[in-house]
């Protein structure tokens, strides 16, 4: 999902093309379009994503993982298929993110589908979580967002899970993935580019998994 666009050598040239197009007058823009020199929607999106920097791209993709999972929940309900999320687990995630004494009416907690089928991906992401537990204890994870109903601000998170012998999942840790927070963490040396790169690549792969899952359910 474009997490590594900042490393592409042609991004500077593309940025220049987009900037020139946006600054051009109507006649010049029309000339560029007719001569096929105008940047297309895909190229403009690449430049926009590049401008977010890796922290912004992670925040955006984590939120998108939650948004893109919503149609999957609807399809599972329509087809009578079991969901991979219980009310108990959702409430536990909410309590971790907001605290037990926050009124439910003040915010909305939404989550993605659970990721646990790719051990390499789970292990890679688990190693980035802070907390007093071993990475091997993380058996799955989800993406989550908390949206304040007062100001409609959405905050993205990753939630580390551990599956118990009875099949229930408990929360081991959560990580805020907001762009400003991630930049502050880098400034204080709590995070480095290697960790951010791992997270960015994992989220990009998970977004594709979500798209594939949605497509499979549509065709089922």
């Amino acid at each position: 999902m474009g997490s590594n666009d900042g490393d592409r050598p042609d991004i500077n040239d593309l940025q220049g093309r987009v900037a020139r197009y946006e600054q051009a007058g109507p006649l010049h823009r029309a000339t560029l379009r007719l001569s096929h020199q105008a940047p297309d929607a895909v190229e403009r999106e690449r430049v926009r994503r590049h401008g977010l920097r890796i922290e912004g791209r992670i925040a955006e993709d984590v939120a998108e993982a939650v948004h893109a999972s919503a149609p999957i929940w609807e399809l599972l309900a329509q087809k009578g298929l079991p969901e991979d999320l219980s009310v108990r687990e959702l409430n536990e995630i909410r309590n971790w993110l907001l605290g037990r004494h926050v009124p439910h009416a003040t915010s909305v907690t939404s989550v993605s589908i659970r990721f646990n089928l790719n051990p390499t991906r789970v292990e890679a992401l688990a190693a980035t979580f802070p907390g007093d537990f071993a990475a091997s204890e993380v058996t799955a994870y989800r993406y989550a967002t908390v949206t304040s109903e007062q100001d409609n601000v959405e905050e993205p998170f990753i939630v580390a899970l551990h599956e118990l012998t009875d099949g229930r999942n408990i929360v081991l840790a959560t990580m805020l993935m907001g762009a400003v927070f991630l930049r502050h963490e880098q400034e204080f040396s709590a995070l480095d580019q290697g960790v951010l790169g791992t997270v960015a690549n994992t989220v990009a792969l998970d977004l594709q998994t979500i798209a594939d899952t949605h497509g499979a359910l549509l065709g089922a």
Side-chain angles (χ1 to χ4, degrees):
M1 292 295 168
S3 294
N4 296 319
D5 275 352
D7 299 327
R8 297 282 296 273
D10 59 342
I11 191 66
N12 290 334
D13 291 339
L14 184 55
Q15 282 180 300
R17 285 181 56 213
V18 171
R20 287 191 294 273
Y21 179 77
E22 291 178 345
Q23 294 166 8
L27 181 59
H28 190 195
R29 285 191 181 193
T31 301
L32 289 172
R33 287 194 296 270
L34 288 171
S35 61
H36 303 289
Q37 297 181 48
D40 60 24
V42 173
E43 291 172 322
R44 291 196 298 273
E45 175 64 5
R46 278 191 57 206
V47 169
R48 185 192 70 81
R49 292 269 295 176
H50 175 71
L52 295 177
R53 296 170 45 182
I54 189 170
E55 305 91 350
R57 293 193 291 272
I58 289 172
E60 188 171 85
D61 286 351
V62 168
E64 177 58 23
V66 176
H67 302 161
S69 293
I72 294 176
W73 300 126
E74 295 172 5
L75 284 169
L76 290 174
Q78 290 173 10
K79 296 176 181 293
L81 298 172
E83 298 180 355
D84 70 357
L85 176 69
S86 66
V87 174
R88 183 208 58 78
E89 184 180 331
L90 178 60
N91 285 339
E92 183 179 358
I93 291 172
R94 183 185 182 282
N95 289 339
W96 269 74
L97 297 179
L98 295 175
R100 294 181 181 276
H101 303 297
V102 177
H104 282 267
T106 62
S107 61
V108 176
T109 303
S110 303
V111 300
S112 74
I113 60 175
R114 186 172 71 243
F115 295 93
N116 64 347
L117 297 181
N118 189 312
T120 302
R121 211 177 296 175
V122 173
E123 182 180 358
L125 196 61
T128 69
F129 276 89
D132 188 19
F133 58 88
S136 59
E137 294 181 66
V138 180
T139 56
Y141 58 90
R142 296 184 190 274
Y143 302 104
T145 57
V146 174
T147 305
S148 168
E149 292 194 343
Q150 294 180 337
D151 52 20
N152 204 36
V153 172
E154 182 181 64
E155 293 186 301
F157 293 85
I158 301 178
V159 180
L161 301 169
H162 174 74
E163 184 176 358
L164 301 176
T165 55
D166 62 4
R168 291 183 297 118
N169 290 283
I170 61 172
V171 179
L172 291 179
T174 62
M175 288 195 300
L176 176 61
M177 291 288 111
V180 174
F181 174 78
L182 293 178
R183 286 171 191 146
H184 286 167
E185 289 292 280
Q186 287 186 88
E187 291 173 4
F188 291 111
S189 300
L191 284 175
D192 59 34
Q193 282 288 314
V195 170
L196 290 180
T198 296
V199 173
N201 291 334
T202 301
V203 182
L205 291 169
D206 289 339
L207 281 172
Q208 186 58 56
T209 297
I210 291 171
D212 293 344
T213 302
H214 186 218
L217 284 171
L218 284 173

